[in-house]
Amino acid sequence: MDDRLDRAPCGYLTVQEDCTILESNQTLAELLGSASSKLAGRPLHSVLAVSSRIFFQIYFFPLMHLEGKVEEMYLSLQAVSGQEIPVLLNAVRREREGKTLFECILVPMRRRMEYEQQLSASEHAVSKAKLELERLERTLERKRKEWLELNGRTPGGESAEAHSS
């Protein structure tokens, strides 16, 4: 494998039609906590998290056979440590030496998940602050009316005596 591909900032693997891994790059091996030589010959499902195996079977193969590609499929890999690693998979079907192969790129999405969680927390905080602001505005308006009544004024600013004339 070309050194640039082997060290690309994303995982790469070539899979046979029966889902046996033919080759993978060093980046993917490091992501999984394994040696790239240990991935060759293994079934692809062995590096997928349990939650992603069925999804992969149901969607990956039909898309590859119908469209010849898969774009932005969200899956989780299972590292040797047991940790699940969220990835975005793009794949394309290629014919090479009379065999159908699937070339896949796997981009880790750990940071994106953190960003989405932070964004969600921020949106929740903004909603909460907006509700509190609306509550305070109602309280302020109620207090303003009370103050006007105590000082003998109408909400329009006239004195209660002038208003009754």
Side-chain angles (χ1 to χ4, degrees):
M1 178 177 301
D2 177 271
D3 189 55
R4 290 180 295 170
L5 183 56
D6 200 29
R7 298 283 177 188
C10 60
Y12 169 84
L13 54 85
T14 303
V15 181
Q16 295 182 85
E17 214 169 2
D18 69 356
C19 267
T20 302
I21 298 171
L22 284 179
E23 62 181 338
S24 63
N25 69 351
Q26 187 60 37
T27 305
L28 181 61
E30 289 170 3
L31 189 65
L32 295 170
S34 181
S36 59
S37 60
K38 290 184 178 181
L39 295 176
R42 289 176 55 186
L44 180 59
H45 76 269
S46 70
V47 299
L48 293 175
V50 174
S51 59
S52 291
R53 290 178 186 171
I54 293 172
F55 182 79
F56 182 82
Q57 290 291 327
I58 291 172
Y59 292 103
F60 182 84
F61 289 110
L63 284 170
M64 290 304 277
H65 289 291
L66 291 173
E67 298 180 17
K69 66 181 179 178
V70 169
E71 294 178 340
E72 299 179 22
M73 180 178 280
Y74 176 81
L75 297 169
S76 290
L77 302 178
Q78 184 81 39
V80 171
S81 67
Q83 177 187 16
E84 285 194 21
I85 303 160
V87 296
L88 202 58
L89 175 136
N90 282 357
V92 62
R93 183 182 65 219
R94 304 244 194 255
E95 298 296 324
R96 212 181 313 157
E97 299 173 9
K99 293 182 181 179
T100 299
L101 303 175
F102 305 129
E103 294 181 344
C104 306
I105 297 293
L106 300 117
V107 180
M109 295 184 49
R110 293 180 205 171
R111 289 289 197 211
R112 179 176 175 170
M113 300 296 280
E114 289 174 25
Y115 297 148
E116 286 178 358
Q117 288 172 350
Q118 289 173 358
L119 181 60
S120 178
S122 295
E123 288 172 349
H124 177 71
V126 167
S127 293
K128 189 174 177 181
K130 185 178 177 184
L131 289 173
E132 180 63 11
L133 181 60
E134 289 170 355
R135 186 189 68 76
L136 289 171
E137 285 175 339
R138 287 189 303 272
T139 301
L140 179 62
E141 183 59 26
R142 190 179 73 246
K143 295 290 184 183
R144 186 179 80 77
K145 286 179 181 176
E146 289 174 7
W147 182 83
L148 289 172
E149 288 174 9
L150 286 172
N151 288 299
R153 301 199 180 274
T154 63
E158 302 171 347
S159 69
E161 294 168 3
H163 189 55
S164 61
S165 307

